[in-house]
Amino acid sequence: MQEQIKELRRQMMDAIGGIHSKEDLADFWQNYLGKNGQVAGLMKNLRSVAKEERPTMGKLINELKTETEARYQAAREKMEEAELAARDRKEQIDITMPAKRDRVGNLHPLTLTRNEMVNVFSGMGFEIYDGAEIEDDDHNFTRLNVPKNHPSRDMQDTFYITEDILLRTQTSTGQIRYMDAHKPPIKMLSPGRVFRSDSDATHSPMFSQMEGLVVDKHITLGDLQGMLEKFCQQIFGESVRTRLRPSYFPFTEPSVEIDVSCFKCGGKGCSLCKGTGWIEILGGGVVHHKVLANCGIDPDVYSGFAFGIGIERVAMLKYGINNIGLLTQNDLRFLKQFREV
Ligand code: DAH
């Protein structure tokens, strides 16, 4: 019997060393410590041992049982620890790993340009006025000194909704709306979309303008030039100059076209300025006395200047965009190139 106990202990010790998984552990339990396991088997065999030896053998078997249980427990704890360590390793976060980059969006080049232009005028104290895109003939034309059947209506190909309602062709409508609601001193800036039946590489049926209006006592064409030269320098660079050319708009008298010296070649002549050294940038003039009177402002007391700038045109010049269609096609390869600086 004593030999059997020794032999079982040897086997048990071997088996302990061979435990590598939960299954091995369960097998070990069943094999040695289970109800029908080998230790219990030895106990059963005790009956065949001589009576005098039974207490000694019983004690030895009990010792073996205790030791086996202790070793089983130790093996189990070791396994649990190993499992925990493995899980820790798996769940460990490597903080040195490069992060996944989120793609950062950017503003549309037209929005960038508009914001930049608005910022310059806001800094000069202009109030922003949002007009409506659907207008009536009265505000878009008649009260801007463009009576029905006047030939200057042909300057703009208009989308009519009814005989009297139209998509505004110019932000100049904002002049009338604003002067109806506000009296001088006035410093108003109205950026917005306008519509004309016109389409080629530099014209789009929908485009944006920015209207400016200043009305107060003693406002002259000189104020217009001074303010717009400052504007051009902030948008195109400190070294640019401006010049006025006589022009015609029904709502200003005198009317001017304002050119900026070419910011690419410095005025020497290049492809951007078509060899002239100058780039036409906006229209403006002294507000026609009839327009002031149409809004209940006394033209003998007050005078003003007004101007209108195409925002797409400024964006195209600034960024070297050669086709206005690119601004509405939403091609990401194009749009991704613009960043606020
Ligand atoms: N409304 C004109 C256009 O669309 C631009 C313009 C010219 C606006 C002269 C003005 C101005 O306020 O004074 O062509």
Side-chain angles (χ1 to χ4, degrees):
M1 182 94 200
Q2 203 161 354
E3 265 316 304
Q4 273 179 26
I5 296 171
K6 270 193 183 155
E7 176 55 28
L8 187 57
R9 184 171 181 278
R10 257 196 306 276
Q11 273 181 33
M12 183 276 287
M13 291 298 281
D14 272 358
I16 275 288
I19 291 178
H20 297 298
S21 68
K22 271 187 160 165
E23 288 73 34
D24 294 345
L25 200 65
D27 285 349
F28 178 90
W29 172 267
Q30 211 169 25
N31 201 2
Y32 296 94
L33 295 167
K35 236 204 279 173
N36 300 315
Q38 300 204 51
V39 178
L42 276 183
M43 274 302 187
K44 271 182 212 146
N45 286 347
L46 211 53
R47 258 173 286 149
S48 59
V49 172
K51 222 175 173 181
E52 326 72 76
E53 285 187 20
R54 271 185 215 165
T56 325
M57 291 306 132
K59 194 171 162 241
L60 284 176
I61 296 170
N62 266 332
E63 277 169 10
L64 177 62
K65 191 179 173 204
T66 310
E67 186 188 355
T68 308
E69 278 171 353
R71 293 200 184 271
Y72 167 82
Q73 198 54 38
R76 192 174 139 167
E77 276 167 20
K78 209 167 114 190
M79 179 147 303
E80 278 168 0
E81 267 168 34
E83 253 177 27
L84 207 66
R87 208 172 68 204
D88 276 355
R89 265 198 307 281
K90 214 167 99 194
E91 290 177 0
Q92 210 171 40
I93 294 168
D94 180 358
I95 56 164
T96 65
M97 233 156 76
K100 273 195 203 144
R101 272 190 181 277
D102 278 339
R103 284 214 304 205
V104 180
N106 52 280
L107 292 177
H108 191 280
L110 202 56
T111 309
L112 287 174
T113 307
R114 190 191 57 211
N115 289 352
E116 210 181 316
M117 291 163 72
V118 167
N119 279 346
V120 174
F121 287 114
S122 300
M124 295 177 181
F126 279 73
E127 184 180 332
I128 308 298
Y129 172 74
D130 249 345
E133 292 174 359
I134 297 176
E135 261 294 1
D136 56 31
D137 189 279
D138 202 40
H139 290 83
N140 194 81
F141 289 125
T142 309
R143 290 175 68 196
L144 280 163
N145 197 31
V146 191
K148 283 222 155 79
N149 303 321
H150 192 275
S152 70
R153 287 206 179 199
D154 296 342
M155 286 167 77
Q156 302 173 355
D157 268 321
T158 309
F159 290 115
Y160 281 94
I161 296 168
T162 68
E163 204 177 311
D164 202 44
I165 306 294
L166 45 82
L167 297 182
R168 69 173 171 192
T169 59
Q170 50 187 356
T171 44
S172 306
T173 56
Q175 292 190 29
I176 305 297
R177 296 249 169 228
Y178 196 86
M179 283 192 283
D180 275 349
H182 303 81
K183 295 304 158 211
I186 285 172
K187 253 181 166 182
M188 181 273 310
L189 187 76
S190 184
R193 276 188 294 204
V194 299
F195 307 84
R196 289 180 201 178
S197 180
D198 200 357
S199 184
D200 60 32
T202 53
H203 295 88
S204 157
M206 178 187 82
F207 62 105
S208 330
Q209 286 186 335
M210 193 169 281
E211 191 81 10
L213 174 71
V214 174
V215 183
D216 203 348
K217 289 176 179 156
H218 316 300
I219 298 290
T220 70
L221 199 60
D223 297 316
L224 169 85
Q225 181 165 24
M227 203 169 254
L228 291 179
E229 182 156 290
K230 269 270 158 297
F231 163 77
C232 287
Q233 286 168 346
Q234 297 215 31
I235 297 292
F236 297 111
E238 281 302 321
S239 58
V240 299
R241 287 157 293 126
T242 54
R243 73 172 184 191
L244 306 186
R245 273 183 297 112
S247 185
Y248 170 75
F249 297 103
F251 29 85
T252 42
E253 182 58 39
S255 299
V256 293
E257 220 59 86
I258 297 183
D259 298 339
V260 61
S261 61
C262 184
F263 48 87
K264 196 171 168 198
C265 64
K268 287 198 275 299
C270 67
S271 60
L272 188 68
C273 58
K274 301 194 182 78
T276 65
W278 293 94
I279 297 171
E280 182 186 320
I281 205 78
L282 53 90
V286 172
V287 182
H288 200 292
H289 65 90
K290 278 192 189 164
V291 174
L292 292 178
N294 284 342
C295 299
I297 293 174
D298 186 350
D300 290 329
V301 179
Y302 294 102
S303 58
F305 69 75
F307 57 87
I309 318 173
I311 304 179
E312 280 80 357
R313 180 160 166 73
V314 174
M316 289 169 78
L317 285 168
K318 258 185 92 78
Y319 294 118
I321 300 165
N322 58 12
N323 193 320
I324 196 168
L326 288 165
L327 292 170
T328 43
Q329 279 158 8
N330 278 343
D331 185 333
L332 282 180
R333 292 169 302 179
F334 170 76
L335 294 177
K336 272 202 294 209
Q337 302 176 47
F338 301 92
R339 283 253 176 275
E340 205 162 4
V341 279

